[in-house]
Amino acid sequence: MIVQPRSPVARLGEWWPRLRPWLLAALGLVLAGAVGFALQGLLREVRYASVMAAVSATPNIDIFAALLATAASYLALTQYDASALRYAGAKVPRSTVLLTSFVAYALSNTIGLGPLSGGAVRMRLYAAAGLEPPQIARVIGFNAAAFALGMMVFGAMGLLWGAADVAPLLHSRAWWLRVLALAMLLALAGFLWLCSRQHLLQVGLGRGRRWTLRLPTLNLALRQLLISAVELAASAAALWFLLPTNHIGLPTFIAFYAIAIAASIISHVPGGVGVFEAVMLLASGTGVPSDAMLGALLLNRGIYYVLPLLLATGTLIAYELRSGVAAPVSRMAVHLSPRLMAALTMVAGLWLLVSGVTPFTEDAREVLATLRVPLPLIEASHFLGSVAGLGLLLVARGLLHRLDAAWWAALGLSMVAALLALPKGIALNEAAFLSMLVLLLVISRKQFNRPSSLFAQRLEPEWLLALLGVVLACVWVLFFAYQEVAYSNHLWWQFELDGQAPRSLRALMGVALMALAFFLWQLMRQPAGVLSRTTPEQIARAAAIIRANPSSDGCYALIGDKQLMFSPSGRSFLMYGKQARSWVSLYGPFGDSREWADLVWQFIELANAHGGRAAFYQVRPVALPLYLDCGLQALKLGEYAHVNLPDFSLKGAKRANLRSGVNRGEREGLSFEVLPPARVAELLPQLREVSQAWLTHQRGREKGFSVGRFDEAYLQQLPVAVVWREGKVIAFANLLSTAAKQEASVDLMRYLPGAPPGTMDFLFAKVMLHLQAEGYQRFGLGMSPMAGMAERRKAPRWQQLGRLLYKYGDRFYNFRGLHSFKDKFEPEWEARYLAAPGGLAPFFVLADVAALIGGGMKGVVTK
């Protein structure tokens, strides 16, 4: 056998999933380096002391005006959501709109990636208010498009008004900028004309495909443009008020502000940090001193970004203090607080790191000297404060995942850093912010209830390279703050009150070494949770949980071909299989429903730690929020058939065929019996004979994962229904049932090729009558793949594909025949879903699920 060498493209395709996060993170790091290089050139003549002097010299009235402008901007931002809801045809209480919009924008403005971070907030709160996912998606899309159009108009007006001042700084000609601005305004006018003429915009994509966009009405479009103008003017004013007067023309400022905002969004740098500042510092060439501009930008970061984030977090956590929060929106708002706490913790960590590499003020020096604070205490507080900042950055991810250990670590680090802020340099603002963080952490304690180890977490490449970027940025800040201090080796051993550069140098070196150690540990440590064969003890533990569970789906864990993951308490578990990069949980968690969310997160993190993608196969509609909250998408797989046993009967015209099948079976001499697990062992030889004959006749092979297989140990754990003829077993099916007697189903179904026609109808009818007599409520007939897909023209593409497979895919799978067989029992149909990451991931997951069921890729193409 000659093995063909793999092509370079094939090898790249194999490695690309692993390389992709590293390449994207490296691209972000390169972009951050380019921004730092640009800032270095712009700030060559600027001194740290002059920047701090500019901050201190800002009049209180200007700060108050910036606060009012910030409030006006966020109030206008809430109207974005009001317009978007009107566009989506949805009605939501005004209080919900205000809360959702404020929290979403406070979060997305700080960490960036608005459609993702703010979109997650909208998805949860608007879903709790009763909106459907398609409506929420339209709201998110409208907000993004409205902001883009508003920015285009805002920037065009600024260019048209201040082209003469902007052109020299952009190395362009004023007339070209005016032409560009007019073209943008003409494009907007064309869009408004379309809104007045038609409601749908269709664009041909070739091969008969069309992309359809529902346009807003002209009144709504004009209203939103006015809202955008007010919001952008207010946000620009928040910075404008902080600048020295009579130094930069308003048209020039507006044009550069629009360019800076656009550059921040395009860069995808969190909050646009550095990118926004670089563009605005470029504008300072028109007359604003660079130190004054940088001071205003620092103040603007605190007023427009950090303060709203703090208020939004406090607003959500305030719900914790309200007794009896019963409204769905209120409950969901409380569950959003970990996201904002994680963002605040990141801000605190960055603050501490920057504080550690910058000198304290002369006033602070005098206070420390007057109070005779011991020098060792000053040195230790400076060093430990920086280390605490690094620690807060590392635990922020754990807070995002609501880890109990992350909460304790964040609380301890914040308390220590708050206490050290005073001897470090009388940093009152820093101490106040950290104290507020401690208070918010204490109030939100209930939200961090996942018992998981911090050291078990494996950081993604994006987090690791972002950490590296933060350390490099601190190096840049250190050299900027002490650019007048000449470096020499003796700086490392200089310990005195005025030795601020050596103190900062030692603190940064400590942070860098710890970050490097953490970085290497993350890269070189063995992945946690190495897969191993499921043990009989684990199956016994799962069986105990299954017996008390109302769902019979958990019985598939008894086959032993899947791994089992238990909750820390041992009261819940989920079963899963691994194929290629897909980690697939079958049916989701079982057991104590209060532990399901933690178990789902634990499974996703385990898959991520191995570089895999987590998915959940055949999940029920009631459990979808568990997976949507984790950022997964829900795709319909088909419908599951349930027969309501208390109402089941062979009487009536609708059951004539089934009744005649039972009567014909009895005339053929068929008899029915349910064997308890203790009696199955004595009939295993006959059952094996039936199974082997069935496989030979079907030219098939044993399956697995979500399909039963002939396994002696598995069959002896559950009852088995058999059909006898002349003292010989001719058909059988094992019954999946629990002690709760809520539902039951069949798994392995086999019959002899020579059995009389209608034998399986006889078996199913007798099984349902038996279970009805035993007091069971529902009988599961299994899933009908691709059934029940939406038939509307504008149905999701996934459901359109599923509908085509159902209609024309009989040569690959008996979709319609299987559905018709189950439908004659007049069942109730319940949708079943695949919860998986977005993009192309669901297709890879389904291919891997097919391999899991078939026992490998060979089983996918054979029976």
Side-chain angles (χ1 to χ4, degrees):
M1 177 179 176
I2 300 176
V3 179
Q4 296 291 337
R6 290 178 300 170
S7 66
V9 175
R11 291 196 296 268
L12 179 61
E14 181 180 334
W15 281 94
W16 173 247
R18 297 181 181 179
L19 291 176
R20 180 176 177 272
W22 287 102
L23 292 176
L24 292 178
L27 180 61
L29 195 61
V30 170
L31 179 61
V35 170
F37 182 77
L39 287 174
Q40 178 68 21
L42 291 170
L43 299 177
R44 186 175 292 111
E45 302 300 328
V46 179
R47 296 295 179 265
Y48 175 81
S50 60
V51 174
M52 292 296 101
V55 171
S56 301
T58 305
N60 291 333
I61 187 64
D62 291 348
I63 295 177
F64 181 72
L67 288 169
L68 290 179
T70 298
S73 174
Y74 277 87
L75 184 62
L77 283 172
T78 63
Q79 297 307 304
Y80 275 75
D81 279 52
S83 297
L85 290 167
R86 184 178 300 181
Y87 167 78
K91 292 185 178 180
V92 176
R94 182 172 176 79
S95 58
T96 300
V97 176
L98 292 174
L99 174 65
T100 303
S101 178
F102 178 57
V103 172
Y105 281 113
L107 185 62
S108 61
N109 284 346
T110 303
I111 68 174
L113 303 175
L116 294 178
S117 55
V121 174
R122 290 183 176 89
M123 183 63 73
R124 295 194 63 167
L125 290 183
Y126 285 146
L131 269 63
E132 297 295 329
Q135 290 178 304
I136 303 173
R138 286 196 290 271
V139 169
I140 296 171
F142 181 92
N143 278 339
F147 184 79
L149 287 175
M151 282 297 304
M152 184 174 73
V153 177
F154 191 74
M157 295 300 295
L159 284 178
L160 199 60
W161 189 8
D165 294 329
V166 176
L169 295 174
L170 296 181
H171 303 287
S172 180
R173 295 183 181 273
W175 66 267
W176 191 90
L177 294 179
R178 290 193 177 98
V179 169
L180 177 62
L182 288 173
M184 294 164 65
L185 293 176
L186 285 174
L188 175 66
F191 175 76
L192 294 176
W193 179 80
L194 284 175
C195 292
S196 67
R197 302 286 296 182
Q198 59 191 66
H199 296 296
L200 292 177
L201 178 64
Q202 293 186 340
V203 179
L205 301 177
R207 298 184 180 180
R209 296 180 300 166
R210 286 184 173 273
W211 177 65
T212 303
L213 173 66
R214 186 167 69 87
L215 297 173
T217 63
L218 179 61
N219 288 338
L220 181 58
L222 291 173
R223 176 181 183 272
Q224 182 54 45
L225 284 175
L226 178 61
I227 292 171
S228 298
V230 172
E231 187 276 319
L232 288 167
S235 65
L239 176 58
W240 171 262
F241 287 134
L242 299 173
L243 292 173
T245 57
N246 302 323
H247 279 292
I248 183 172
L250 185 59
T252 306
F253 174 80
I254 290 175
F256 272 98
Y257 184 83
I259 296 172
I261 292 292
S264 301
I265 296 172
I266 294 172
S267 70
H268 289 294
V269 174
V273 176
V275 179
F276 180 82
E277 284 75 11
V279 176
M280 293 309 300
L281 283 168
L282 182 64
S284 67
T286 59
V288 178
S290 295
D291 52 4
M293 175 63 79
L294 187 56
L297 289 169
L298 292 176
L299 280 174
N300 182 252
R301 280 286 170 188
I303 293 173
Y304 194 83
Y305 295 89
V306 177
L307 182 59
L309 179 65
L310 191 62
L311 292 176
T313 307
T315 300
L316 290 188
I317 293 178
Y319 284 96
E320 295 272 6
L321 302 178
R322 296 171 55 184
S323 58
V325 175
V329 174
S330 299
R331 292 199 304 270
M332 201 57 66
V334 171
H335 293 316
L336 279 171
S337 59
R339 297 175 183 266
L340 278 77
M341 290 303 306
L344 270 182
T345 303
M346 290 180 64
V347 171
L350 290 170
W351 190 334
L352 287 171
L353 287 176
V354 173
S355 173
V357 296
T358 53
F360 50 69
T361 64
E362 186 64 27
D363 291 340
R365 179 194 175 284
E366 293 179 0
V367 172
L368 291 173
T370 303
L371 296 177
R372 296 183 180 180
V373 178
L375 183 60
L377 178 59
I378 297 175
E379 295 284 349
S381 61
H382 206 87
F383 184 88
L384 294 177
S386 298
V387 173
L390 176 65
L392 288 174
L393 288 181
L394 295 177
V395 302
R397 180 182 179 276
L399 290 176
L400 183 64
H401 291 172
R402 299 172 40 232
L403 300 186
D404 175 80
W407 183 88
W408 282 106
L411 181 67
L413 289 171
S414 300
M415 293 176 65
V416 170
L419 292 174
L420 296 178
L422 297 180
K424 185 172 72 172
I426 316 300
L428 298 179
N429 292 332
E430 182 179 307
F433 181 79
L434 291 167
S435 300
M436 183 62 68
L437 179 60
V438 169
L439 177 62
L440 295 176
L441 282 168
V442 171
I443 298 174
S444 62
R445 174 69 184 97
K446 293 181 180 179
Q447 299 307 315
F448 302 93
N449 53 4
R450 292 192 55 220
S452 179
S453 171
L454 270 178
F455 299 104
Q457 307 304 306
R458 192 175 188 88
L459 296 189
E460 296 84 355
E462 296 90 337
W463 281 84
L464 292 175
L465 289 184
L467 180 62
L468 177 59
V470 168
V471 174
L472 293 178
C474 288
V475 172
W476 181 87
V477 172
L478 175 72
F479 282 100
F480 172 71
Y482 298 105
Q483 55 187 302
E484 296 180 350
V485 178
Y487 175 79
S488 62
N489 291 333
H490 79 273
L491 287 177
W492 295 98
W493 317 111
Q494 183 180 345
F495 295 92
E496 55 187 41
L497 184 58
D498 291 332
Q500 300 203 60
R503 191 176 301 123
S504 297
L505 194 62
R506 287 188 292 268
L508 180 59
M509 179 56 66
V511 167
L513 290 176
M514 291 182 182
L516 177 61
F518 181 82
F519 188 87
L520 293 175
W521 174 64
Q522 284 281 312
L523 289 179
M524 301 177 66
R525 69 175 180 149
Q526 290 292 328
V530 177
L531 296 184
S532 58
R533 187 174 180 84
T534 305
T535 64
E537 291 77 15
Q538 290 177 317
I539 295 177
R541 289 176 61 192
I545 298 173
I546 294 166
R547 281 193 293 270
N549 200 71
S551 172
S552 62
D553 292 337
C555 295
Y556 282 91
L558 305 180
I559 302 176
D561 63 341
K562 292 173 282 293
Q563 276 75 34
L564 302 178
M565 172 182 284
F566 292 88
S567 65
S569 69
R571 296 193 301 267
S572 308
F573 79 96
L574 59 77
M575 50 185 157
Y576 66 95
K578 179 182 179 296
Q579 174 68 30
R581 290 187 60 242
S582 297
W583 294 58
V584 186
S585 169
L586 181 62
Y587 302 123
F590 295 90
D592 189 344
S593 60
R594 294 171 297 183
E595 298 180 341
W596 288 1
D598 295 340
L599 205 51
V600 167
W601 270 114
Q602 185 180 346
F603 178 69
I604 292 174
E605 290 172 355
L606 179 63
N608 291 341
H610 288 78
R613 49 177 169 258
F616 298 82
Y617 182 66
Q618 285 201 46
V619 297
R620 295 184 171 184
V622 69
L624 283 181
L626 290 175
Y627 312 108
L628 296 178
D629 286 349
C630 299
L632 302 180
Q633 292 186 357
L635 301 173
K636 190 173 182 179
L637 295 172
E639 293 188 330
Y640 191 96
H642 288 283
V643 176
N644 189 20
L645 290 177
D647 299 332
F648 177 75
S649 172
L650 296 179
K651 299 178 180 179
K654 293 183 178 180
R655 300 281 170 81
N657 291 334
L658 189 61
R659 184 170 60 251
S660 63
V662 173
N663 293 334
R664 183 172 59 248
E666 291 176 345
R667 289 195 301 269
E668 293 281 352
L670 304 184
S671 61
F672 171 81
E673 183 181 7
V674 175
L675 303 175
R679 284 192 55 200
V680 174
E682 64 187 63
L683 286 179
L684 279 176
Q686 289 195 55
L687 299 181
R688 187 184 304 107
E689 181 182 346
V690 172
S691 176
Q692 190 59 46
W694 184 86
L695 286 173
T696 302
H697 179 73
Q698 298 290 331
R699 297 180 181 178
R701 53 185 289 182
E702 292 287 7
K703 306 294 184 181
F705 194 61
S706 63
V707 179
R709 58 189 302 140
F710 191 91
D711 181 272
E712 295 185 359
Y714 168 55
L715 289 176
Q716 294 181 68
Q717 298 185 67
L718 296 164
V720 176
V722 298
V723 176
W724 300 89
R725 188 184 189 191
E726 299 177 355
K728 183 179 180 181
V729 176
I730 65 169
F732 73 92
N734 70 322
L735 303 184
L736 309 184
S737 59
T738 70
K741 293 190 175 183
Q742 289 295 312
E743 67 178 35
S745 60
V746 296
D747 176 26
L748 194 68
M749 299 172 288
R750 305 280 164 92
Y751 60 89
L752 288 175
T759 297
M760 295 311 291
D761 286 349
F762 176 85
L763 174 62
F764 268 87
K766 288 294 188 178
V767 164
M768 283 187 277
L769 291 173
H770 168 78
L771 293 171
Q772 183 187 61
E774 292 289 322
Y776 284 85
Q777 300 300 306
R778 298 200 306 174
F779 177 70
L781 294 171
M783 189 176 72
S784 178
M786 301 302 163
M789 297 296 186
E791 297 186 2
R792 297 180 181 272
R793 286 181 55 199
K794 296 183 179 180
R797 294 188 184 277
W798 173 265
Q799 297 210 30
Q800 293 179 21
L801 175 62
R803 191 169 67 246
L804 291 175
L805 283 174
Y806 182 79
K807 288 184 178 180
Y808 305 111
D810 284 347
R811 63 178 297 181
F812 306 106
Y813 188 87
N814 189 20
F815 292 104
R816 289 185 291 181
L818 181 61
H819 186 272
S820 298
F821 171 77
K822 295 176 180 179
D823 201 44
K824 67 184 179 183
F825 294 96
E826 297 182 3
E828 299 174 356
W829 295 95
E830 178 188 68
R832 290 292 175 95
Y833 294 89
L834 171 71
L840 295 177
F843 296 96
F844 294 117
V845 168
L846 287 178
D848 291 335
V849 168
L852 284 170
I853 294 173
M857 294 308 297
K858 181 179 178 181
V860 176
V861 296
T862 60
K863 287 188 178 181

